[in-house]
Amino acid sequence: MEILTAWQDWEQWAEADEAWSVLPLILRKRQDNQGLPRSWKQAWEQASPYSVVLESGKGGRYTYLGLSPVSIIEGRGAVAESYTPGAKASGHIESAVTEGQPLQVLQAWMREYTSPRLPLDGLPPFTGGCIGFLGYDVARSLEKLPSLARNNPEFPDYLFMRLEEVWIYDEQEQQLYCAVHISVPDTVSGNLDGLRSLYEAAVHRAERMLEQWSLLYAPAEPEEAAAARYAGLTRRVESEAEITGEWPGMSSDFSAAPFQQAVLKVQEYIRAGDVFQVNLSLRQQAQLKSTPEDVYEWLRRLNPSPYMGLLRTPGFALSSASPELLVKLHGDKVSARPIAGTRRRGHTPAEDAAMEAELRGSEKEIAEHIMLVDLERSDIGRVAAYGTVSVPELLTVERYSHVMHLVSQVEGIVAPGRDAYDVIAALFPGGTITGAPKVRTMEIIEELEPVRRGPYTGSMGWIDYNGNMELNIIIRTLAVKDGIGYIQTGAGIVIDSDPYREYRECHNKAKAVVKAILCSEREQEERAALGAEGGSAI
């Protein structure tokens, strides 16, 4: 066990010219190949009603867990409320209301908190700051858009949680970090004894976090038994009906015929020269018989993805298995990883290879992808230093549980004077889920889609105290509010799109989330049956 901190020389901090508002202390412990907890069930039992996990289930390295945020900011339109979660839960709301453009309000909220960067190599990219989401409709504050679609249900446009305690697991190095950023009151700044007391409190909090983490591994079900149980339940669900991406009992505001008519309308706009491509989406919803937490556990097993996450609040939850990065900023390097071009997975290795060959050989898919890479280059170019934008990776095929995609990497160096909020404003929402040109496609989306997107195709991720950030694109996600689950998926419409095939593509993209829901509901039914028979439900 090792303490990593910026507090080693208390006299230095007491005499420092710059008054930091929070100071970091990180406890690092090697996990001896223990790995991540198999389930987050024990974490949610310890958590505040506001809590979050971000993890990479495919090709990534870090998992971030926050169970007790110290403050929340929640916005709708131009009005935001910031509050402490405990006060709101008890009904004694101590909040501040702010008006303004969402990204500017968020920037001002985070500006109050300044922290030194630990001068150590090998630390995780995020050790403290805020985690949350920006809904698609934050775009209304960045561009002038019509208001035509129904806003139902009314999710917040954005919500972020500021965390003083974050557990970070490094999958590559098999190391756990317990990160504490402790607030420094004005009365303590410059006071040696006061700083020493805060340091000791931070060490105590980090040690308590380590104890809490150890509880996440119990009760321990043997891995072989867990794997057999999950596999058996999955087979039972798959044997009852083909997983089509259409959720049993669901309803939709955009059924097959209207969706295909909307595809034809998009093609009229393309022929008229308004746009090159539009991402058209459909939403389905149904009463959820399990919980967002249970669905997320199944998503982790069935569809491990680079940008997974579960965001929990008293009013709504997001269970996400997103494959796509919107934007990452580390130091002065900005990067995006656009996804465009999809085929379903094959049932056999030979069929899978044939589907990849079809994807790589599709002029339509290649042209659409290159167009959207160019859009990302243009968006990054708005905030990058001249001549620094590059495409180091182009047209890679990435496979997921039910689909495969064409993926590229776009990078640049941020120009002097630009920050994380400028970068988000330049790239939000992602071009791969709007189309090109972006503003006109968003106008067409508002005209043709019957309901507002809410969290869908917004972004979830983190922003730290030093101005770094990483945000995904909210796709392959279950949004839950008032017991109703919402799944939304889209397809890129171009001039030679087949309307019915695009409709089916939307459902293919929904298969992983639908399967996770069905498995979680079946698991709950079997637990209830065991309980009724006096058995022991695991």
Side-chain angles (χ1 to χ4, degrees), residues 43-44 46-48 50-52 65-69 163 165 167 212 216:
W44 310 134
Q46 301 178 41
S48 156
Y50 295 87
S51 45
V52 65
L65 176 68
L67 300 183
S68 300
L163 297 150
E165 298 180 356
W167 288 266
Q212 281 183 267
L216 305 186

Side-chain angles (χ1 to χ4, degrees), residues 56-86:
S56 179
K58 181 181 174 67
R61 180 170 177 179
Y62 297 103
T63 292
Y64 305 104
L65 176 68
L67 300 183
S68 300
V70 293
S71 58
I72 308 289
I73 189 165
E74 179 178 349
R76 287 174 171 80
V79 178
E81 180 187 17
S82 55
Y83 52 87
T84 57

Side-chain angles (χ1 to χ4, degrees), residues 374-421:
D374 285 342
L375 177 58
E376 295 283 3
R377 291 175 62 223
S378 175
D379 284 349
I380 289 179
R382 294 164 63 186
V383 289
Y386 179 76
T388 66
V389 179
S390 64
V391 183
E393 186 178 350
L394 184 66
L395 296 170
T396 296
V397 172
E398 289 187 352
R399 284 174 164 79
Y400 298 88
S401 62
H402 291 77
V403 293
M404 62 182 73
H405 295 298
L406 291 173
V407 184
S408 295
Q409 179 86 359
V410 185
E411 298 176 353
I413 302 299
V414 173
R418 300 286 195 166
D419 64 13
Y421 304 93

Side-chain angles (χ1 to χ4, degrees), residues 181-193:
H181 277 75
I182 200 161
S183 296
V184 181
D186 292 339
T187 55
V188 172
S189 182
N191 180 298
L192 182 59
D193 291 335

Side-chain angles (χ1 to χ4, degrees), residues 286-328:
Q287 185 74 38
L288 187 66
K289 299 174 185 176
S290 58
T291 68
E293 293 85 353
D294 287 340
V295 174
Y296 183 69
E297 293 299 335
W298 277 96
L299 279 173
R300 294 174 78 211
R301 284 192 169 262
L302 296 173
N303 192 40
S305 303
Y307 291 95
M308 304 199 68
L310 173 61
L311 182 76
R312 303 170 72 242
T313 81
F316 69 96
L318 302 176
S319 298
S320 182
S322 174
E324 187 164 5
L325 172 71
L326 172 70
V327 64
K328 179 193 299 185

Side-chain angles (χ1 to χ4, degrees), residues 277 339-343 356-374 394-397 405-408 494 496:
Q277 185 249 34
I339 292 176
T342 305
R343 287 293 183 274
E356 177 180 345
E358 180 182 310
L359 178 60
R360 288 187 179 278
S362 169
E363 292 184 8
K364 167 190 174 295
E365 301 283 18
I366 298 296
E368 177 185 342
H369 187 94
I370 295 298
M371 175 181 60
L372 291 169
V373 168
D374 285 342
L394 184 66
L395 296 170
T396 296
V397 172
H405 295 298
L406 291 173
V407 184
S408 295
V494 293
D496 55 351

